[in-house]
Amino acid sequence: MPRAPFTLTIVAVLVAGVALALYGPGTGEPALLIANKNGASLYVVDPASGQVTDSVSTGAGPHEVAAAPKTRRAFVANYGDGTISAIDVDGPTETARWQLPATQRPHGIGVGPNEERVYVTAEDRQAVLELDAASGTVRRTFETGRDVTHMLALAPNAPALYATSIGSGTLSKVDLETGDVGPHVATGAGAEGLGVTPDGEEVWVTNRADDTVSILHAASTSERDTLSVDGFPIRVDVSPDGRHALVSAPRAGEVALYNAQSRRLMTRLEVGSKPIGVLAPTDDRAYVANAGSGTVSIVDLNARAVTDTIPAGRGPDGMAYVPAL
């Protein structure tokens, strides 16, 4: 009888090991990363099984995460304590935590095309910071001069990025070669989420307080179209093949699915409570982070249906995807 706890411990370890072997992901395998802003952690999910395989501690209030797929790293913007967590995805482990200068409030984050630079918005500074991906050193600061510079997205085929500022209701373009910032384009009240189409031709901006989405020509930043999206549209992403655009609407508990080329609304899907983060990493699958219910909904883009739900901790928000090597 005294040996029972020891035996149970061995059994538990063996079961955990078998589960990890079955569900992965292992080194070099694809991984879905989910920032838990109320849990100070990053979840690692095996996309094939939909199983959470690990959790990595981060700084306080991790809101957004960006992946560097070639080097199998990720970078997390910790909004609560002004730090950036550098993550080894295959560990998975936090390899460094970089403290930014005071009053930065990092939020939107992205990785440069050669994975040598990390870009992050600094709300209190009204700026975007360029960091060295190896050391976290701030190399350049791009001042937007706009209120609550919150999210960013990099152009896929040009040395440029775009940033939204909620308080000013604007989109700002940053030239990464010259360092020039501008033009600043008024898109709508509460401009927040944004996504660049895979061909680099368009920028989509969600204007949450106006219940609209602005579609702009990426090179000129001139407006091409405006969509009406009820429910406080807050994030947008476009699938790699450029066919689908997803817009989360947290007040409606839904995600709106559009034909990205015709701008036609195909359907609105009920997901969990307070959906915020959206990610379409493949042509046929997307993910919606439901901050209010602590889940991530899996969306089949071809079937236009929610096919499964992943338990995702406390306040899942930003997501990133690391493909297989």
Side-chain angles (χ1 to χ4, degrees), residues 67-73 113-115 322-323 325:
K70 296 176 185 176
T71 54
R72 304 285 296 179
R73 302 178 74 201
N114 58 9
E115 301 189 359
V322 182
L325 285 175

Side-chain angles (χ1 to χ4, degrees), residues 58-144:
T58 64
H63 278 222
E64 297 294 329
V65 55
K70 296 176 185 176
T71 54
R72 304 285 296 179
R73 302 178 74 201
F75 302 90
V76 182
N78 301 311
Y79 190 76
D81 61 10
T83 63
I84 305 296
S85 292
I87 307 292
D88 172 2
V89 174
D90 288 330
T93 184
E94 183 185 42
T95 58
R97 190 177 299 176
W98 304 321
Q99 181 68 60
L100 296 175
T103 67
Q104 299 293 327
R105 303 285 278 179
H107 194 275
I109 193 165
V111 178
N114 58 9
E115 301 189 359
E116 294 178 357
R117 301 287 181 267
V118 176
Y119 299 92
V120 62
T121 58
E123 277 193 5
D124 290 351
R125 182 73 180 272
Q126 297 184 335
V128 174
L129 308 179
E130 179 186 75
L131 310 180
D132 184 284
S135 66
T137 302
V138 178
R139 298 181 59 89
R140 291 189 290 178
T141 300
F142 306 104
E143 306 281 355
T144 66

Side-chain angles (χ1 to χ4, degrees), residues 127-182:
V128 174
L129 308 179
E130 179 186 75
L131 310 180
D132 184 284
S135 66
T137 302
V138 178
R139 298 181 59 89
R140 291 189 290 178
T141 300
F142 306 104
E143 306 281 355
T144 66
R146 298 306 189 266
D147 189 25
V148 194
T149 301
H150 194 68
M151 297 293 290
L152 64 77
L154 282 101
N157 52 10
L161 65 76
Y162 303 87
T164 49
S165 297
I166 298 173
S168 300
T170 54
L171 173 77
S172 301
K173 184 176 181 179
V174 178
D175 187 316
L176 297 176
E177 282 190 341
T178 66
D180 293 339
V181 182

Side-chain angles (χ1 to χ4, degrees), residues 20-43:
L20 195 59
L22 286 173
Y23 296 122
T27 301
E29 294 299 312
L32 172 68
L33 309 176
I34 306 169
N36 288 281
K37 60 186 178 184
N38 297 326
S41 63
L42 183 74
Y43 272 18

